[in-house]
Amino acid sequence: MKVYTKTGDEGKTSLLSRERVFKDSVRVHAYGTVDEANAAMGLAKSLTDKEWAVTIIHGIQAELIALNADLATDGSVTDSSKYRITPSHVARLESIIDKLEEQRIPERHFITPGATTASAALDLARTIVRRAERCIVRLRRTETVSQPVALYLNRLSDLLFVLARCVEQEALIAKVTQAVMRVLQKHGPNEGGTSDMLERAKRMIAAAEKKAVEIGVPMVIAVVDAGGNLVAQERMDNALLASVSIALNKAYTAVALKMSTDQAAVVAQPGQMLYGINTADNCRIVVFGGGFPLWEEGALVGGIGVSGGSVEEDMAVAQAGLAAF
């Protein structure tokens, strides 16, 4: 069968009912716009390496073909069982949205598409689906359209928005994790002449403890080497149990990001370049004050982390230890 049929040369096309309509009819506009959205989703699918996202997109694309078959059926159909898209399809989209929302870090600002190529394609598909929905609103004023079809497209636009944000989020986490791993691979635990690291860690902990006693707050103090490995840690009497892991993770964060944790807190705010980084590296990244990197002659040799009081108290005790390095 030839690709070109010449049956549309006069500006008309056939619906599934074999009825001939003009190609610029509202119904043809509607299913043509859905076809356009399907193509944009295909582009997104080809641009992502996330298998879970590919599975979601591919399943929806198959349903859009069935949805277009419903749109290409004229309004004379009265038996709803003959329609292909049903309320169960709408419910499935809602279920996917709910699951994605559990993973997504909510944004508190307007989204500018283009953070990644895949999310940009998903945002493009979302806007096309919105246009298809508007076509259907117009079509329903004069002709019959299955209710689940209209609901499906409405939920689909919401799903594509959330999916785009989750794809962006995973890309950011992967990028940060790779950067952290490069740092860890570059700097070995004994780099920078740190053979006496344990003795220096003990001096830092003693100085930090003295400051903690002075302000009357029991603290946990941890010191790590350039690879983020624990060198020494002390938990003062009555210090919070939770502070044991927090102090260690603060020291690790300072080494992993080559910055103090209060600096990390600034760039991890919504809209900033490292927003969401606290979910990376198995959630070891801490984005509030109390952790500082240790530098020696321009080389990163370790980190100190303190936990147990307020952010200001943790930072003051950590800086006392830092001064003894």
Side-chain angles (χ1 to χ4, degrees):
M1 181 177 179
K2 291 184 178 181
V3 173
Y4 58 90
T5 62
K6 300 184 179 181
T7 58
D9 290 354
E10 300 301 321
K12 286 190 173 184
T13 187
S14 294
L15 301 179
L16 287 183
S17 59
R18 299 183 183 278
E19 177 188 356
R20 299 287 291 175
V21 296
F22 282 104
K23 291 182 179 181
D24 64 351
S25 73
V26 180
R27 185 174 292 277
V28 176
H29 264 302
Y31 66 68
T33 306
V34 171
D35 190 35
E36 188 180 341
N38 200 336
M41 291 180 64
L43 177 61
K45 184 173 66 175
S46 72
L47 291 172
T48 182
D49 59 355
K50 308 300 180 186
E51 194 60 37
W52 61 268
V54 170
T55 300
I56 291 174
I57 295 170
H58 189 77
I60 293 171
Q61 285 183 291
E63 292 178 350
L64 287 181
I65 294 173
L67 184 144
N68 261 357
D70 283 351
L71 281 177
T73 302
D74 68 22
S76 63
V77 175
T78 57
D79 185 356
S80 61
S81 66
K82 293 184 178 180
Y83 286 113
R84 298 155 186 83
I85 297 299
T86 67
S88 64
H89 292 93
V90 178
R92 192 181 76 85
L93 292 188
E94 292 173 347
S95 175
I96 295 173
I97 293 171
D98 291 341
K99 290 178 181 178
L100 291 175
E101 281 283 66
E102 292 175 0
Q103 305 169 22
R104 181 171 74 99
I105 299 173
E107 298 88 359
R108 304 184 188 281
H109 52 87
F110 286 106
I111 298 299
T112 301
T116 69
T117 52
S119 68
L122 287 168
D123 279 318
L124 175 62
R126 170 180 57 82
T127 60
I128 297 172
V129 169
R130 286 293 193 195
R131 176 150 48 88
E133 186 181 8
R134 292 193 294 270
C135 288
I136 287 176
V137 169
R138 181 182 175 191
L139 177 62
R140 293 180 73 183
R141 291 175 182 169
T142 56
E143 300 185 46
T144 300
V145 178
S146 170
Q147 177 72 3
V149 165
L151 293 177
Y152 186 97
L153 291 178
N154 179 270
R155 301 300 188 276
L156 178 56
S157 61
D158 293 333
L159 187 151
L160 291 173
F161 174 83
V162 178
L163 181 58
R165 306 291 75 78
C166 288
V167 167
E168 287 177 346
Q169 179 177 305
E170 285 210 3
L172 173 62
I173 291 173
K175 182 178 180 180
V176 172
T177 300
Q178 289 172 3
V180 171
M181 292 305 297
R182 283 196 297 270
V183 171
L184 295 180
Q185 291 170 1
K186 181 178 179 181
H187 299 287
N190 293 319
E191 187 171 343
T194 59
S195 58
D196 61 340
M197 191 64 181
L198 178 58
E199 289 304 316
R200 301 169 82 177
K202 290 178 180 178
R203 290 199 300 271
M204 294 174 68
I205 290 174
E209 181 182 359
K210 181 179 178 180
K211 181 66 175 178
V213 170
E214 179 183 315
I215 64 175
V217 180
M219 298 281 194
V220 177
I221 308 113
V223 177
V224 300
D225 60 23
N229 306 298
L230 179 64
V231 175
Q233 185 171 27
E234 177 178 284
R235 179 190 178 207
M236 297 173 62
D237 289 343
N238 299 317
L240 296 173
L241 182 60
S243 294
V244 175
S245 60
I246 295 173
L248 178 57
N249 286 341
K250 284 184 180 182
Y252 172 84
T253 299
V255 170
L257 299 184
K258 293 186 178 181
M259 66 174 70
S260 62
T261 53
D262 60 296
Q263 291 176 317
V266 175
V267 294
Q269 294 298 310
Q272 298 299 311
M273 61 183 296
L274 294 185
Y275 178 52
I277 193 175
N278 53 298
T279 64
D281 202 5
N282 294 318
C283 296
R284 288 197 67 184
I285 303 298
V286 177
V287 290
F288 49 91
F292 293 88
L294 304 176
W295 299 95
E296 186 174 46
E297 297 180 356
L300 181 68
V301 296
I304 182 173
V306 172
S307 177
S310 66
V311 169
E312 291 75 15
E313 291 168 338
D314 290 354
M315 291 178 65
V317 172
Q319 288 169 332
L322 191 63
F325 177 62

